[in-house]
Amino acid sequence: MNDFTMTRGERRATWALGSVFSLRMLGMFMVLPVLTTYGMSLAGASEALIGLAIGIYGMTQALFQIPFGLLSDKVGRKPLIVGGLLMFALGSVIAALSDAIWGVIVGRALQGSGAISAAVMALLSDLTREQNRTKAMAFIGVSFGITFAIAMVTGPLITQAVGLSGLFWLIALLALAAIAMVIWVVPTPAAHLQNRESAMVRGSFRTVLTNPRLLKLNLGILCVHTLLMSSFVALPPLLERAGLPRDSQWQAYLVTMLIAFVSVVPFIIYAEKHRQMKRVFIGCVVVMLAAELVLWQSGQQLWGLLAGLQLFFIGFNVMEALLPSLISKESPPGYKGTAMGVYSTSQFLGVAIGGSLGGLLYSLGGGPLVFGGCAALALAWLGVSLTMAEPPYVSSLRIVLPEGVAADAVLDYLSVHLGTLQALEAGVLADQPDAVHRSRVATRRMRSALATFEPLFDRSAVRRLRAENAVRRLVTRASAGVQVREDTHFELSRAMPPVRHAVLEAGRRLAAAGLIDALDDVWFLTWPQLQALGVTTEINFYQHGDDQWRATAR
């Protein structure tokens, strides 16, 4: 069999996990086009609270996305995915049972708390071989776009038939169906694979978060979803006022999404084949800016609103296909999984900001203020996009070594640098600058190797070594503080002996004059008491030798 042909198990894992991912995202997006219209009938509802109900899902997703991804390494992928889907189902039930806006907000927050995207991708990595993993992930990416389109069309239809409460009940059933697929359809991996290209790795976040190229792309996905959520806080009610009933808005979404999907293909081919990704990226930002300007100027004119909606969906769909590819190209080797985790977190932060801010702006100034604010954000994003560099058009090759071979290679590498440290020990103790520098270099290289190849070592031994190093660093820092403390104490107390000498001299003279009975009585007098005796004492310091100070008094 061709090694690049997916096995039956890989195909089963891919479509099953893609279906789980789609069922959950379907429940997320079906609410988007209907909450701002049907949700206004909830007790206590306002435009600002509707926006909060939309955005709070993204906030809890952003908070738990990375922690849950890392936690799946310890508790297992499938238990965490099932737990996340149960949270999603529970939130849906709470929202379905509530007839007040705050109940829906609590339900949406619980829905978002079941952040399973990173765990799903890690499980997919466990169940597919390296040469077929890209195809599997591309399938999930395509399913995301299709799910979004289906949700935008079916959400209004289902809500028209069963109401907003019925929609949330259906979403809960979809979550339970996804749980059933995880338990009985998705294969159980024999072992967890530490694949840095598809899973998040501890210790890698600083590198990703300080990479300026990745920061601009993360800002891009944040802006995309901020614009999406903010715009859809205002669009459904404005379409209704312009003469398109909320029960018929699905038709507008269907036509505009179909046109947008057809438009995506040539742009992506041009970007990839002709290596013009930056040009297409900037073009998409311009299209989304134009869409917001058209919506801003449309008022309640139906055709203007539909034209703006069409432009927005074209730019949105091209950008959703383009950004993951750019993240993959710009990620440093070995950091792609972590980069995608940060990217997903930025995406859901955009959902949170867009929903909350859009609702606030809509309550203050209606649709024009929302679209004007979105246009300002798109303009600022365009300014950042113009500073982007063309991404590297390279292919990556990952060579998997047998565990024994990899372990031997790492041990040989560590042995070389350990020998360097032992050879430099005498020079370090003699405080030779070159020896100190070379020992630091060897230590850093050993530390990097231990962090990179941590899965090859016994975890309990690694944790024990880290604990010992933490204690050692604490003791070293405390020892370094001893010198500072002693030097400070010495300098502050350096003047005490000459002062004592001067005070005793003053006591001797006072006793000789008969003003006090004994020399030591001077220690029991205060300065005002000395002044009351009519005595003026002046103390002069002078240096005697290199480090000794003396004093005279009169």
Side-chain angles (χ1 to χ4, degrees), residues 381-516:
W381 180 24
L382 177 61
V384 175
S385 301
L386 292 173
T387 66
M388 290 174 55
E390 196 73 43
Y393 295 93
V394 296
S395 299
S396 60
L397 176 63
R398 181 172 183 260
I399 301 174
V400 181
L401 297 175
E403 187 171 340
V405 175
D408 291 341
V410 174
L411 288 175
D412 290 342
Y413 181 84
L414 293 173
S415 299
V416 169
H417 291 293
L418 181 60
T420 301
L421 284 176
Q422 293 171 338
L424 293 171
E425 182 178 3
V428 171
L429 294 175
D431 202 20
Q432 297 176 4
D434 183 62
V436 173
H437 171 71
R438 289 170 59 193
S439 66
R440 287 175 176 170
V441 171
T443 302
R444 284 196 297 267
R445 289 177 178 174
M446 291 179 67
R447 186 168 61 240
S448 298
L450 288 170
T452 302
F453 299 99
E454 179 181 343
L456 297 177
F457 300 97
D458 179 67
R459 291 192 174 185
S460 60
V462 171
R463 285 195 295 268
R464 185 170 62 253
L465 182 61
R466 283 179 174 170
E468 292 174 356
N469 286 337
V471 173
R472 190 177 293 111
R473 285 195 300 269
L474 185 62
V475 172
T476 301
R477 291 174 183 174
S479 300
V482 169
Q483 182 176 355
V484 176
R485 184 191 66 199
E486 293 300 326
D487 289 348
T488 304
H489 180 269
F490 171 75
E491 294 297 337
L492 290 176
S493 61
R494 194 174 182 183
M496 295 304 296
V499 170
R500 181 177 182 278
H501 174 77
V503 172
L504 288 174
E505 176 64 19
R508 185 185 65 78
R509 295 183 183 185
L510 290 172
L515 296 176
I516 57 177

Side-chain angles (χ1 to χ4, degrees), residues 90-298:
L90 177 61
S92 303
V93 171
I94 291 175
L97 293 173
S98 178
D99 56 0
I101 184 62
W102 282 106
V104 173
I105 291 173
V106 171
R108 292 279 292 170
L110 279 174
Q111 281 183 324
S113 299
I116 62 169
S117 299
V120 168
M121 300 305 286
L123 181 56
L124 184 67
S125 177
D126 293 341
L127 295 171
T128 54
R129 292 170 296 164
E130 179 67 26
Q131 59 267 34
N132 293 321
R133 194 164 295 134
T134 301
K135 289 184 284 186
M137 291 184 176
F139 176 83
I140 290 183
V142 171
S143 68
F144 177 87
I146 295 174
T147 299
F148 178 76
I150 294 173
M152 295 300 295
V153 175
T154 57
L157 285 172
I158 295 170
T159 309
Q160 177 189 353
V162 297
L164 190 60
S165 176
L167 178 65
F168 279 115
W169 280 117
L170 177 62
I171 292 171
L173 291 176
L174 291 176
L176 294 178
I179 291 174
M181 292 195 70
V182 171
I183 296 175
W184 290 297
V185 180
V186 176
T188 300
H192 296 324
L193 300 178
Q194 184 67 23
N195 186 353
R196 299 174 67 97
E197 297 300 302
S198 58
M200 291 178 286
V201 180
R202 289 180 177 85
S204 300
F205 292 100
R206 183 176 180 181
T207 301
V208 171
L209 292 173
T210 56
N211 187 307
R213 289 173 173 254
L214 292 176
L215 282 176
K216 292 176 183 178
L217 297 178
N218 291 328
L219 174 66
I221 192 61
L222 185 146
C223 289
V224 167
H225 282 265
T226 300
L227 295 175
L228 173 68
M229 295 299 165
S230 296
S231 298
F232 269 89
V233 168
L235 259 175
L238 288 178
L239 288 172
E240 189 173 21
R241 293 175 195 169
L244 185 64
R246 62 185 185 181
D247 299 339
S248 302
Q249 290 181 11
W250 66 271
Q251 300 171 11
Y253 300 139
L254 176 61
V255 173
T256 52
M257 287 299 296
L258 286 176
I259 295 174
F261 269 120
V262 173
S263 304
V264 166
V265 178
F267 283 113
I268 296 301
I269 292 176
Y270 174 74
E272 290 282 2
K273 187 175 181 180
H274 298 280
R275 299 189 171 186
Q276 296 293 335
M277 299 194 78
K278 180 183 176 181
R279 178 176 296 181
V280 174
F281 185 94
I282 294 174
C284 285
V285 180
V286 171
V287 170
M288 297 184 78
L289 172 60
E292 297 297 343
L293 292 173
V294 170
L295 292 170
W296 183 29
Q297 294 297 320
S298 295

